[in-house]
PDB file of all heavy atoms in Angstrom:
ATOM      1  N   GLU A 147     -37.602 -18.644 -29.878  1.00 89.00           N
ATOM      2  CA  GLU A 147     -37.663 -18.680 -31.340  1.00 89.00           C
ATOM      3  C   GLU A 147     -38.654 -17.640 -31.872  1.00 89.00           C
ATOM      4  O   GLU A 147     -38.357 -16.919 -32.822  1.00 89.00           O
ATOM      5  CB  GLU A 147     -38.071 -20.101 -31.774  1.00 89.00           C
ATOM      6  CG  GLU A 147     -38.117 -20.320 -33.268  1.00 89.00           C
ATOM      7  CD  GLU A 147     -36.770 -20.123 -33.952  1.00 89.00           C
ATOM      8  OE1 GLU A 147     -35.737 -20.369 -33.298  1.00 89.00           O
ATOM      9  OE2 GLU A 147     -36.763 -19.701 -35.123  1.00 89.00           O
ATOM     10  N   ASN A 148     -39.802 -17.543 -31.247  1.00 87.00           N
ATOM     11  CA  ASN A 148     -40.837 -16.648 -31.783  1.00 87.00           C
ATOM     12  C   ASN A 148     -40.737 -15.222 -31.259  1.00 87.00           C
ATOM     13  O   ASN A 148     -40.682 -14.275 -32.033  1.00 87.00           O
ATOM     14  CB  ASN A 148     -42.233 -17.202 -31.455  1.00 87.00           C
ATOM     15  CG  ASN A 148     -42.429 -18.572 -32.067  1.00 87.00           C
ATOM     16  OD1 ASN A 148     -41.966 -18.829 -33.171  1.00 87.00           O
ATOM     17  ND2 ASN A 148     -43.075 -19.459 -31.343  1.00 87.00           N
ATOM     18  N   GLU A 149     -40.709 -15.090 -29.942  1.00 86.00           N
ATOM     19  CA  GLU A 149     -40.793 -13.755 -29.332  1.00 86.00           C
ATOM     20  C   GLU A 149     -39.487 -12.971 -29.457  1.00 86.00           C
ATOM     21  O   GLU A 149     -39.505 -11.811 -29.826  1.00 86.00           O
ATOM     22  CB  GLU A 149     -41.181 -13.869 -27.856  1.00 86.00           C
ATOM     23  CG  GLU A 149     -42.525 -14.487 -27.621  1.00 86.00           C
ATOM     24  CD  GLU A 149     -43.675 -13.501 -27.823  1.00 86.00           C
ATOM     25  OE1 GLU A 149     -43.419 -12.296 -27.850  1.00 86.00           O
ATOM     26  OE2 GLU A 149     -44.822 -13.966 -27.957  1.00 86.00           O
ATOM     27  N   LEU A 150     -38.386 -13.630 -29.116  1.00 87.00           N
ATOM     28  CA  LEU A 150     -37.118 -12.897 -29.080  1.00 87.00           C
ATOM     29  C   LEU A 150     -36.737 -12.383 -30.460  1.00 87.00           C
ATOM     30  O   LEU A 150     -36.342 -11.220 -30.619  1.00 87.00           O
ATOM     31  CB  LEU A 150     -36.016 -13.797 -28.496  1.00 87.00           C
ATOM     32  CG  LEU A 150     -34.703 -13.097 -28.183  1.00 87.00           C
ATOM     33  CD1 LEU A 150     -34.912 -11.940 -27.232  1.00 87.00           C
ATOM     34  CD2 LEU A 150     -33.702 -14.073 -27.574  1.00 87.00           C
ATOM     35  N   LYS A 151     -36.870 -13.247 -31.452  1.00 85.00           N
ATOM     36  CA  LYS A 151     -36.522 -12.833 -32.823  1.00 85.00           C
ATOM     37  C   LYS A 151     -37.402 -11.668 -33.271  1.00 85.00           C
ATOM     38  O   LYS A 151     -36.942 -10.750 -33.941  1.00 85.00           O
ATOM     39  CB  LYS A 151     -36.673 -14.011 -33.783  1.00 85.00           C
ATOM     40  CG  LYS A 151     -35.449 -14.914 -33.753  1.00 85.00           C
ATOM     41  CD  LYS A 151     -35.492 -15.933 -34.837  1.00 85.00           C
ATOM     42  CE  LYS A 151     -34.240 -16.806 -34.762  1.00 85.00           C
ATOM     43  NZ  LYS A 151     -34.347 -17.973 -35.619  1.00 85.00           N
ATOM     44  N   ALA A 152     -38.670 -11.738 -32.896  1.00 87.00           N
ATOM     45  CA  ALA A 152     -39.597 -10.660 -33.287  1.00 87.00           C
ATOM     46  C   ALA A 152     -39.156  -9.332 -32.681  1.00 87.00           C
ATOM     47  O   ALA A 152     -39.193  -8.298 -33.338  1.00 87.00           O
ATOM     48  CB  ALA A 152     -41.001 -11.011 -32.812  1.00 87.00           C
ATOM     49  N   TYR A 153     -38.717  -9.378 -31.429  1.00 87.00           N
ATOM     50  CA  TYR A 153     -38.301  -8.142 -30.767  1.00 87.00           C
ATOM     51  C   TYR A 153     -36.982  -7.607 -31.324  1.00 87.00           C
ATOM     52  O   TYR A 153     -36.749  -6.402 -31.302  1.00 87.00           O
ATOM     53  CB  TYR A 153     -38.185  -8.355 -29.252  1.00 87.00           C
ATOM     54  CG  TYR A 153     -39.518  -8.231 -28.545  1.00 87.00           C
ATOM     55  CD1 TYR A 153     -40.063  -9.293 -27.845  1.00 87.00           C
ATOM     56  CD2 TYR A 153     -40.225  -7.037 -28.592  1.00 87.00           C
ATOM     57  CE1 TYR A 153     -41.280  -9.172 -27.191  1.00 87.00           C
ATOM     58  CE2 TYR A 153     -41.450  -6.906 -27.943  1.00 87.00           C
ATOM     59  CZ  TYR A 153     -41.970  -7.979 -27.255  1.00 87.00           C
ATOM     60  OH  TYR A 153     -43.177  -7.830 -26.627  1.00 87.00           O
ATOM     61  N   ILE A 154     -36.114  -8.498 -31.783  1.00 87.00           N
ATOM     62  CA  ILE A 154     -34.840  -8.026 -32.347  1.00 87.00           C
ATOM     63  C   ILE A 154     -35.092  -7.334 -33.680  1.00 87.00           C
ATOM     64  O   ILE A 154     -34.556  -6.264 -33.954  1.00 87.00           O
ATOM     65  CB  ILE A 154     -33.846  -9.206 -32.532  1.00 87.00           C
ATOM     66  CG1 ILE A 154     -33.417  -9.765 -31.180  1.00 87.00           C
ATOM     67  CG2 ILE A 154     -32.608  -8.750 -33.324  1.00 87.00           C
ATOM     68  CD1 ILE A 154     -32.590 -11.026 -31.252  1.00 87.00           C
ATOM     69  N   GLU A 155     -35.934  -7.955 -34.497  1.00 83.00           N
ATOM     70  CA  GLU A 155     -36.093  -7.461 -35.866  1.00 83.00           C
ATOM     71  C   GLU A 155     -37.161  -6.372 -36.002  1.00 83.00           C
ATOM     72  O   GLU A 155     -37.042  -5.487 -36.827  1.00 83.00           O
ATOM     73  CB  GLU A 155     -36.425  -8.633 -36.789  1.00 83.00           C
ATOM     74  CG  GLU A 155     -35.202  -9.517 -37.017  1.00 83.00           C
ATOM     75  CD  GLU A 155     -35.562 -10.947 -37.395  1.00 83.00           C
ATOM     76  OE1 GLU A 155     -36.722 -11.181 -37.762  1.00 83.00           O
ATOM     77  OE2 GLU A 155     -34.675 -11.812 -37.308  1.00 83.00           O
ATOM     78  N   ASN A 156     -38.211  -6.463 -35.208  1.00 82.00           N
ATOM     79  CA  ASN A 156     -39.294  -5.479 -35.352  1.00 82.00           C
ATOM     80  C   ASN A 156     -39.608  -4.840 -33.998  1.00 82.00           C
ATOM     81  O   ASN A 156     -38.895  -5.058 -33.040  1.00 82.00           O
ATOM     82  CB  ASN A 156     -40.568  -6.178 -35.855  1.00 82.00           C
ATOM     83  CG  ASN A 156     -40.264  -7.000 -37.079  1.00 82.00           C
ATOM     84  OD1 ASN A 156     -39.817  -6.475 -38.074  1.00 82.00           O
ATOM     85  ND2 ASN A 156     -40.483  -8.303 -36.996  1.00 82.00           N
ATOM     86  N   ASP A 157     -40.667  -4.072 -33.983  1.00 79.00           N
ATOM     87  CA  ASP A 157     -41.146  -3.502 -32.722  1.00 79.00           C
ATOM     88  C   ASP A 157     -42.584  -3.945 -32.503  1.00 79.00           C
ATOM     89  O   ASP A 157     -43.519  -3.162 -32.699  1.00 79.00           O
ATOM     90  CB  ASP A 157     -41.061  -1.969 -32.755  1.00 79.00           C
ATOM     91  CG  ASP A 157     -39.625  -1.495 -32.747  1.00 79.00           C
ATOM     92  OD1 ASP A 157     -38.846  -2.005 -31.926  1.00 79.00           O
ATOM     93  OD2 ASP A 157     -39.278  -0.636 -33.567  1.00 79.00           O
ATOM     94  N   PRO A 158     -42.804  -5.217 -32.137  1.00 81.00           N
ATOM     95  CA  PRO A 158     -44.184  -5.676 -31.979  1.00 81.00           C
ATOM     96  C   PRO A 158     -44.894  -4.959 -30.835  1.00 81.00           C
ATOM     97  O   PRO A 158     -44.259  -4.489 -29.887  1.00 81.00           O
ATOM     98  CB  PRO A 158     -44.050  -7.169 -31.681  1.00 81.00           C
ATOM     99  CG  PRO A 158     -42.647  -7.378 -31.272  1.00 81.00           C
ATOM    100  CD  PRO A 158     -41.832  -6.252 -31.779  1.00 81.00           C
ATOM    101  N   GLU A 159     -46.197  -4.903 -30.961  1.00 82.00           N
ATOM    102  CA  GLU A 159     -47.020  -4.249 -29.932  1.00 82.00           C
ATOM    103  C   GLU A 159     -46.899  -5.034 -28.622  1.00 82.00           C
ATOM    104  O   GLU A 159     -47.100  -6.261 -28.616  1.00 82.00           O
ATOM    105  CB  GLU A 159     -48.480  -4.266 -30.410  1.00 82.00           C
ATOM    106  CG  GLU A 159     -49.427  -3.392 -29.610  1.00 82.00           C
ATOM    107  CD  GLU A 159     -49.227  -1.904 -29.850  1.00 82.00           C
ATOM    108  OE1 GLU A 159     -48.689  -1.502 -30.897  1.00 82.00           O
ATOM    109  OE2 GLU A 159     -49.620  -1.160 -28.948  1.00 82.00           O
ATOM    110  N   PRO A 160     -46.543  -4.393 -27.507  1.00 84.00           N
ATOM    111  CA  PRO A 160     -46.418  -5.150 -26.251  1.00 84.00           C
ATOM    112  C   PRO A 160     -47.775  -5.645 -25.745  1.00 84.00           C
ATOM    113  O   PRO A 160     -48.788  -4.975 -25.945  1.00 84.00           O
ATOM    114  CB  PRO A 160     -45.822  -4.134 -25.281  1.00 84.00           C
ATOM    115  CG  PRO A 160     -46.113  -2.810 -25.858  1.00 84.00           C
ATOM    116  CD  PRO A 160     -46.237  -2.972 -27.338  1.00 84.00           C
ATOM    117  N   LYS A 161     -47.744  -6.837 -25.140  1.00 83.00           N
ATOM    118  CA  LYS A 161     -49.005  -7.404 -24.633  1.00 83.00           C
ATOM    119  C   LYS A 161     -49.132  -7.123 -23.141  1.00 83.00           C
ATOM    120  O   LYS A 161     -48.138  -6.981 -22.440  1.00 83.00           O
ATOM    121  CB  LYS A 161     -49.009  -8.919 -24.859  1.00 83.00           C
ATOM    122  CG  LYS A 161     -49.033  -9.299 -26.327  1.00 83.00           C
ATOM    123  CD  LYS A 161     -48.718 -10.765 -26.502  1.00 83.00           C
ATOM    124  CE  LYS A 161     -48.313 -11.053 -27.932  1.00 83.00           C
ATOM    125  NZ  LYS A 161     -47.432 -12.186 -28.056  1.00 83.00           N
ATOM    126  N   ASP A 162     -50.389  -7.110 -22.680  1.00 89.00           N
ATOM    127  CA  ASP A 162     -50.628  -6.930 -21.240  1.00 89.00           C
ATOM    128  C   ASP A 162     -50.404  -8.246 -20.517  1.00 89.00           C
ATOM    129  O   ASP A 162     -50.682  -9.315 -21.054  1.00 89.00           O
ATOM    130  CB  ASP A 162     -52.070  -6.465 -21.008  1.00 89.00           C
ATOM    131  CG  ASP A 162     -52.262  -5.022 -21.430  1.00 89.00           C
ATOM    132  OD1 ASP A 162     -51.321  -4.232 -21.245  1.00 89.00           O
ATOM    133  OD2 ASP A 162     -53.336  -4.687 -21.965  1.00 89.00           O
ATOM    134  N   LEU A 163     -49.922  -8.155 -19.285  1.00 93.00           N
ATOM    135  CA  LEU A 163     -49.747  -9.363 -18.476  1.00 93.00           C
ATOM    136  C   LEU A 163     -51.118  -9.873 -18.033  1.00 93.00           C
ATOM    137  O   LEU A 163     -52.026  -9.073 -17.805  1.00 93.00           O
ATOM    138  CB  LEU A 163     -48.899  -9.039 -17.235  1.00 93.00           C
ATOM    139  CG  LEU A 163     -47.403  -8.837 -17.468  1.00 93.00           C
ATOM    140  CD1 LEU A 163     -46.762  -8.144 -16.285  1.00 93.00           C
ATOM    141  CD2 LEU A 163     -46.715 -10.173 -17.710  1.00 93.00           C
ATOM    142  N   PRO A 164     -51.269 -11.193 -17.901  1.00 94.00           N
ATOM    143  CA  PRO A 164     -52.578 -11.699 -17.462  1.00 94.00           C
ATOM    144  C   PRO A 164     -52.856 -11.315 -16.015  1.00 94.00           C
ATOM    145  O   PRO A 164     -51.934 -11.065 -15.236  1.00 94.00           O
ATOM    146  CB  PRO A 164     -52.425 -13.214 -17.605  1.00 94.00           C
ATOM    147  CG  PRO A 164     -50.979 -13.471 -17.584  1.00 94.00           C
ATOM    148  CD  PRO A 164     -50.296 -12.268 -18.140  1.00 94.00           C
ATOM    149  N   HIS A 165     -54.144 -11.255 -15.687  1.00 94.00           N
ATOM    150  CA  HIS A 165     -54.512 -10.928 -14.303  1.00 94.00           C
ATOM    151  C   HIS A 165     -55.460 -11.997 -13.772  1.00 94.00           C
ATOM    152  O   HIS A 165     -56.443 -12.339 -14.415  1.00 94.00           O
ATOM    153  CB  HIS A 165     -55.185  -9.556 -14.239  1.00 94.00           C
ATOM    154  CG  HIS A 165     -55.572  -9.172 -12.856  1.00 94.00           C
ATOM    155  ND1 HIS A 165     -54.652  -8.676 -11.946  1.00 94.00           N
ATOM    156  CD2 HIS A 165     -56.757  -9.241 -12.199  1.00 94.00           C
ATOM    157  CE1 HIS A 165     -55.271  -8.449 -10.798  1.00 94.00           C
ATOM    158  NE2 HIS A 165     -56.548  -8.786 -10.928  1.00 94.00           N
ATOM    159  N   PHE A 166     -55.144 -12.521 -12.601  1.00 94.00           N
ATOM    160  CA  PHE A 166     -55.989 -13.537 -11.963  1.00 94.00           C
ATOM    161  C   PHE A 166     -56.560 -12.949 -10.683  1.00 94.00           C
ATOM    162  O   PHE A 166     -55.791 -12.548  -9.794  1.00 94.00           O
ATOM    163  CB  PHE A 166     -55.171 -14.803 -11.650  1.00 94.00           C
ATOM    164  CG  PHE A 166     -54.561 -15.410 -12.882  1.00 94.00           C
ATOM    165  CD1 PHE A 166     -53.220 -15.190 -13.177  1.00 94.00           C
ATOM    166  CD2 PHE A 166     -55.308 -16.177 -13.753  1.00 94.00           C
ATOM    167  CE1 PHE A 166     -52.646 -15.718 -14.319  1.00 94.00           C
ATOM    168  CE2 PHE A 166     -54.747 -16.719 -14.908  1.00 94.00           C
ATOM    169  CZ  PHE A 166     -53.411 -16.487 -15.185  1.00 94.00           C
ATOM    170  N   GLU A 167     -57.861 -12.891 -10.632  1.00 93.00           N
ATOM    171  CA  GLU A 167     -58.556 -12.286  -9.495  1.00 93.00           C
ATOM    172  C   GLU A 167     -58.186 -13.003  -8.189  1.00 93.00           C
ATOM    173  O   GLU A 167     -58.287 -14.239  -8.117  1.00 93.00           O
ATOM    174  CB  GLU A 167     -60.071 -12.361  -9.748  1.00 93.00           C
ATOM    175  CG  GLU A 167     -60.891 -11.283  -9.060  1.00 93.00           C
ATOM    176  CD  GLU A 167     -60.477  -9.872  -9.430  1.00 93.00           C
ATOM    177  OE1 GLU A 167     -60.363  -9.584 -10.623  1.00 93.00           O
ATOM    178  OE2 GLU A 167     -60.254  -9.065  -8.487  1.00 93.00           O
ATOM    179  N   GLY A 168     -57.764 -12.264  -7.206  1.00 92.00           N
ATOM    180  CA  GLY A 168     -57.481 -12.820  -5.889  1.00 92.00           C
ATOM    181  C   GLY A 168     -56.177 -13.599  -5.785  1.00 92.00           C
ATOM    182  O   GLY A 168     -55.844 -14.116  -4.712  1.00 92.00           O
ATOM    183  N   ALA A 169     -55.423 -13.675  -6.886  1.00 93.00           N
ATOM    184  CA  ALA A 169     -54.159 -14.435  -6.849  1.00 93.00           C
ATOM    185  C   ALA A 169     -53.029 -13.605  -6.232  1.00 93.00           C
ATOM    186  O   ALA A 169     -53.134 -12.377  -6.132  1.00 93.00           O
ATOM    187  CB  ALA A 169     -53.786 -14.860  -8.259  1.00 93.00           C
ATOM    188  N   GLN A 170     -51.973 -14.297  -5.854  1.00 94.00           N
ATOM    189  CA  GLN A 170     -50.799 -13.631  -5.257  1.00 94.00           C
ATOM    190  C   GLN A 170     -50.165 -12.674  -6.279  1.00 94.00           C
ATOM    191  O   GLN A 170     -50.101 -12.989  -7.474  1.00 94.00           O
ATOM    192  CB  GLN A 170     -49.786 -14.716  -4.872  1.00 94.00           C
ATOM    193  CG  GLN A 170     -48.506 -14.164  -4.270  1.00 94.00           C
ATOM    194  CD  GLN A 170     -47.460 -15.255  -4.072  1.00 94.00           C
ATOM    195  OE1 GLN A 170     -47.691 -16.422  -4.363  1.00 94.00           O
ATOM    196  NE2 GLN A 170     -46.301 -14.864  -3.563  1.00 94.00           N
ATOM    197  N   THR A 171     -49.717 -11.524  -5.796  1.00 95.00           N
ATOM    198  CA  THR A 171     -49.052 -10.571  -6.697  1.00 95.00           C
ATOM    199  C   THR A 171     -47.563 -10.508  -6.375  1.00 95.00           C
ATOM    200  O   THR A 171     -47.176 -10.319  -5.222  1.00 95.00           O
ATOM    201  CB  THR A 171     -49.680  -9.164  -6.559  1.00 95.00           C
ATOM    202  OG1 THR A 171     -51.058  -9.256  -6.926  1.00 95.00           O
ATOM    203  CG2 THR A 171     -48.992  -8.153  -7.460  1.00 95.00           C
ATOM    204  N   ILE A 172     -46.766 -10.681  -7.402  1.00 96.00           N
ATOM    205  CA  ILE A 172     -45.302 -10.625  -7.233  1.00 96.00           C
ATOM    206  C   ILE A 172     -44.795  -9.358  -7.929  1.00 96.00           C
ATOM    207  O   ILE A 172     -45.106  -9.116  -9.099  1.00 96.00           O
ATOM    208  CB  ILE A 172     -44.637 -11.874  -7.855  1.00 96.00           C
ATOM    209  CG1 ILE A 172     -45.134 -13.142  -7.141  1.00 96.00           C
ATOM    210  CG2 ILE A 172     -43.117 -11.774  -7.785  1.00 96.00           C
ATOM    211  CD1 ILE A 172     -44.674 -14.442  -7.786  1.00 96.00           C
ATOM    212  N   LYS A 173     -44.030  -8.570  -7.177  1.00 95.00           N
ATOM    213  CA  LYS A 173     -43.498  -7.324  -7.748  1.00 95.00           C
ATOM    214  C   LYS A 173     -42.156  -7.615  -8.425  1.00 95.00           C
ATOM    215  O   LYS A 173     -41.231  -8.104  -7.773  1.00 95.00           O
ATOM    216  CB  LYS A 173     -43.306  -6.276  -6.655  1.00 95.00           C
ATOM    217  CG  LYS A 173     -44.606  -5.711  -6.145  1.00 95.00           C
ATOM    218  CD  LYS A 173     -44.321  -4.624  -5.132  1.00 95.00           C
ATOM    219  CE  LYS A 173     -45.616  -4.054  -4.585  1.00 95.00           C
ATOM    220  NZ  LYS A 173     -45.382  -3.098  -3.520  1.00 95.00           N
ATOM    221  N   ILE A 174     -42.083  -7.291  -9.700  1.00 96.00           N
ATOM    222  CA  ILE A 174     -40.862  -7.567 -10.458  1.00 96.00           C
ATOM    223  C   ILE A 174     -40.212  -6.253 -10.885  1.00 96.00           C
ATOM    224  O   ILE A 174     -40.877  -5.383 -11.462  1.00 96.00           O
ATOM    225  CB  ILE A 174     -41.187  -8.398 -11.732  1.00 96.00           C
ATOM    226  CG1 ILE A 174     -41.920  -9.685 -11.371  1.00 96.00           C
ATOM    227  CG2 ILE A 174     -39.934  -8.665 -12.550  1.00 96.00           C
ATOM    228  CD1 ILE A 174     -41.051 -10.822 -10.932  1.00 96.00           C
ATOM    229  N   GLY A 175     -38.931  -6.122 -10.632  1.00 94.00           N
ATOM    230  CA  GLY A 175     -38.191  -4.926 -11.044  1.00 94.00           C
ATOM    231  C   GLY A 175     -37.760  -5.047 -12.497  1.00 94.00           C
ATOM    232  O   GLY A 175     -37.127  -6.024 -12.877  1.00 94.00           O
ATOM    233  N   VAL A 176     -38.161  -4.075 -13.304  1.00 93.00           N
ATOM    234  CA  VAL A 176     -37.696  -4.049 -14.695  1.00 93.00           C
ATOM    235  C   VAL A 176     -36.948  -2.737 -14.920  1.00 93.00           C
ATOM    236  O   VAL A 176     -37.321  -1.709 -14.365  1.00 93.00           O
ATOM    237  CB  VAL A 176     -38.873  -4.173 -15.703  1.00 93.00           C
ATOM    238  CG1 VAL A 176     -39.453  -5.568 -15.707  1.00 93.00           C
ATOM    239  CG2 VAL A 176     -39.971  -3.160 -15.410  1.00 93.00           C
ATOM    240  N   THR A 177     -35.870  -2.810 -15.695  1.00 90.00           N
ATOM    241  CA  THR A 177     -35.057  -1.601 -15.872  1.00 90.00           C
ATOM    242  C   THR A 177     -35.455  -0.825 -17.122  1.00 90.00           C
ATOM    243  O   THR A 177     -35.264   0.379 -17.194  1.00 90.00           O
ATOM    244  CB  THR A 177     -33.562  -1.954 -15.968  1.00 90.00           C
ATOM    245  OG1 THR A 177     -33.380  -2.803 -17.106  1.00 90.00           O
ATOM    246  CG2 THR A 177     -33.093  -2.665 -14.716  1.00 90.00           C
ATOM    247  N   GLY A 178     -35.956  -1.531 -18.114  1.00 90.00           N
ATOM    248  CA  GLY A 178     -36.349  -0.861 -19.357  1.00 90.00           C
ATOM    249  C   GLY A 178     -35.174  -0.435 -20.211  1.00 90.00           C
ATOM    250  O   GLY A 178     -35.356   0.271 -21.199  1.00 90.00           O
ATOM    251  N   ASP A 179     -33.954  -0.845 -19.838  1.00 88.00           N
ATOM    252  CA  ASP A 179     -32.820  -0.396 -20.654  1.00 88.00           C
ATOM    253  C   ASP A 179     -31.953  -1.540 -21.174  1.00 88.00           C
ATOM    254  O   ASP A 179     -30.755  -1.362 -21.374  1.00 88.00           O
ATOM    255  CB  ASP A 179     -31.991   0.656 -19.901  1.00 88.00           C
ATOM    256  CG  ASP A 179     -31.543   0.193 -18.537  1.00 88.00           C
ATOM    257  OD1 ASP A 179     -31.454  -1.030 -18.338  1.00 88.00           O
ATOM    258  OD2 ASP A 179     -31.276   1.050 -17.677  1.00 88.00           O
TER     259      ASP A 179
END
Side-chain angles (χ1 to χ4, degrees):
Chain A
E147 183 62 30
N148 300 323
E149 298 280 344
L150 190 57
K151 278 189 180 169
Y153 277 119
I154 293 173
E155 287 155 15
N156 309 300
D157 291 313
E159 192 72 23
K161 294 167 198 152
D162 287 324
L163 286 164
H165 180 79
F166 301 101
E167 207 58 50
Q170 179 187 359
T171 299
I172 298 173
K173 288 184 181 175
I174 304 277
V176 288
T177 61
D179 54 24

